[in-house]
Amino acid sequence: LKRYVTGLLSEDDMEVVTVEAPPLDVPTGSKGVVVKNLYVSCDPYMRNRMTHHELPSYIPDFVPGEVLENFGVMKVISSGHLDFKAGDLVWGMTGWEEYTVINNPESLFKINHPELPLSYYTGILGMPGLTAYAGFFDVPKPKKGEYVFISGASGAVGQVVGQLAKITGCYVIGSAGYDEKVNLLKSKFGFDDAFNYKKEQDLEAALRRYFPEGIDIYYENVGGKMLDAVLPNMSLGGRIVACGMISQYNLEQPEGVRNLYYIVTKRLRMEGFHVFDYYDRYYRFEEEMAGYLKEEKVSYVEDVVEGLDTAPAALIRLFTGRSVGKQLVAVARE
Ligand code: NDP
């Protein structure tokens, strides 16, 4: 990261530099590991860490001049920790670089299904997958037959939420910003319907048309104007999972929500959710989701770019909507 970012993130806010690699053997007595990064993930929350915050957040801000970090899939090259050995495949927090020294390997997860695409551990089998799973099942406690709306529906999280909602027997509609993504939602992920929100003049009216009986569960990924349009369209006693609000991350002034009072009149429950509270359930989740993938009950679409040089542009694709499915960077193919 070159500097703290205000407004829209640009490639110029980041730079790719070449430095000497650290020694690939951990020093004697160290409990750390050295990993080779195979895939690194692009996630919307990274943008929030690029702004300087006066108040502490759930995760520290990035520091200009330092290497960006995020979730990745890695191979252990050398280890001073008893639980890890050279050759192990893991996922967790790492640097946007070719090799990383990780001093707290307890935070890493072992990869138990290397027969599935390893890159999935940045997505459906990693943090976004757990976000979809825990956010959908734990927060609104969905029931068969309920009407579910998902914004940002074709993204890393949304595509999984939609498929889990279909497995649960819900009626599911998603929104996305390009027709190509809308088609994916209907043809690949089995959504009952989907629409391009950029083509709707009046979002509130569009949602009324798609949900004449109201929305029981709204899985919120974008916030802003979409949330405003959703509120009047909720059913009485509906539930909103506040997972993310990507439409606000590049704004210097967040947009106001006009229709907040519907939370009162419709007795809605809107609940903030954070995946960081659910990592203790990860391995159970991994087994269940790996099972769904093997049985072809769910599928996953990724948008993979090659090489760290392309990582800054890839991260920006999240905010221009150019990413189709889970955005990630292949750093090295083993
Ligand atoms: P996505 O893969 O969905 O992110 C990119 C997509 O967001 C874009 O392709 C674009 O799709 C959409 N988007 C970008 N800008 C806007 C905008 N201004 N208005 C509306 N849509 C926009 O991301 P993820 O699936 O990884 O994350 C989805 C949400 O979940 C994010 O808000 C993220 O911050 C949040 N999150 C929260 C977690 C938690 O623990 N609470 C954990 C992980 C993610 P389109 O074509 O549809 O516009």
Side-chain angles (χ1 to χ4, degrees):
L1 180 69
K2 262 208 262 183
R3 54 175 160 261
Y4 285 124
V5 180
T6 43
L8 193 62
L9 176 66
S10 82
E11 272 193 67
D12 196 40
D13 294 318
M14 296 165 267
E15 65 183 335
V16 182
V17 294
T18 305
V19 295
E20 201 154 315
L24 295 184
D25 286 320
V26 284
T28 321
S30 159
K31 290 211 166 74
V33 296
V34 179
V35 296
K36 180 176 183 184
N37 294 313
L38 305 180
Y39 296 98
V40 292
S41 177
C42 298
D43 290 285
Y45 87 108
M46 291 179 77
R47 169 65 189 84
N48 299 343
R49 295 183 70 184
M50 293 176 166
T51 300
H52 177 62
H53 294 93
E54 292 301 333
L55 294 172
S57 179
Y58 66 95
I59 196 162
D61 297 337
F62 289 131
V63 179
E66 290 191 4
V67 176
L68 294 168
E69 64 164 21
N70 193 25
F71 299 94
V73 173
M74 301 85 88
K75 189 185 231 172
V76 175
I77 300 293
S78 64
S79 169
H81 198 288
L82 284 177
D83 294 345
F84 298 90
K85 57 179 190 319
D88 281 354
L89 290 166
V90 294
W91 75 269
M93 209 40 101
T94 191
W96 272 27
E97 53 194 349
E98 289 173 293
Y99 295 93
T100 302
V101 179
I102 298 178
N103 291 317
N104 59 336
E106 302 79 17
S107 66
L108 301 176
F109 294 95
K110 295 271 178 74
I111 287 180
N112 292 313
H113 289 279
E115 70 283 9
L116 290 167
L118 284 181
S119 54
Y120 280 12
Y121 282 86
T122 67
I124 188 164
L125 289 170
M127 184 279 282
L130 183 62
T131 300
Y133 183 91
F136 182 63
F137 288 123
D138 258 61
V139 180
K141 311 258 188 308
K143 293 187 281 297
K144 188 173 175 199
E146 288 195 302
Y147 291 94
V148 175
F149 176 53
I150 304 160
S151 57
S154 67
V157 174
Q159 54 174 304
V160 185
V161 177
Q163 294 178 86
L164 294 176
K166 283 312 300 171
I167 289 174
T168 310
C170 299
Y171 180 83
V172 187
I173 299 184
S175 64
Y178 287 88
D179 289 346
E180 176 192 0
K181 301 185 191 182
V182 170
N183 291 338
L184 268 181
L185 294 176
K186 292 194 281 195
S187 61
K188 190 161 178 75
F189 301 131
F191 282 53
D192 294 288
D193 214 336
F195 64 92
N196 183 340
Y197 68 91
K198 290 183 182 160
K199 285 190 170 166
E200 295 292 343
Q201 297 287 336
D202 181 342
L203 272 178
E204 207 175 302
L207 286 166
R208 213 159 33 244
R209 219 167 54 236
Y210 283 104
F211 291 97
E213 306 197 38
I215 301 167
D216 298 314
I217 297 173
Y218 172 44
Y219 197 101
E220 167 71 295
N221 284 320
V222 307
K225 292 184 182 65
M226 185 61 90
L227 175 60
D228 234 339
V230 164
L231 284 166
N233 280 291
M234 293 297 293
S235 318
L236 267 189
R239 292 95 80 206
I240 299 176
V241 187
C243 174
M245 300 195 175
I246 194 170
S247 71
Q248 308 300 295
Y249 299 171
N250 284 292
L251 300 183
E252 285 181 55
Q253 277 303 322
E255 284 171 309
V257 179
R258 249 179 341 121
N259 286 325
L260 212 50
Y261 187 55
Y262 280 95
I263 289 190
V264 179
T265 57
K266 289 182 176 269
R267 286 78 138 182
L268 305 178
R269 187 159 58 84
M270 182 167 179
E271 188 172 333
F273 157 85
H274 211 292
V275 66
F276 282 22
D277 301 332
Y278 290 86
Y279 285 134
D280 57 340
R281 296 216 217 142
Y282 172 71
Y283 289 113
R284 263 190 294 155
F285 154 80
E286 184 195 21
E287 283 312 307
E288 189 170 338
M289 194 55 88
Y292 287 149
L293 283 162
K294 287 183 194 172
E295 291 160 26
E296 298 185 359
K297 284 191 177 154
V298 297
S299 55
Y300 203 56
V301 169
E302 302 178 307
D303 192 329
V304 189
V305 298
E306 297 286 330
L308 272 176
D309 289 1
T310 57
L315 182 62
I316 290 167
R317 285 162 65 83
L318 292 175
F319 303 104
T320 56
R322 288 290 171 191
S323 57
V324 180
K326 168 68 202 161
Q327 184 71 60
L328 68 127
V329 182
V331 181
R333 302 276 185 181
E334 301 228 11

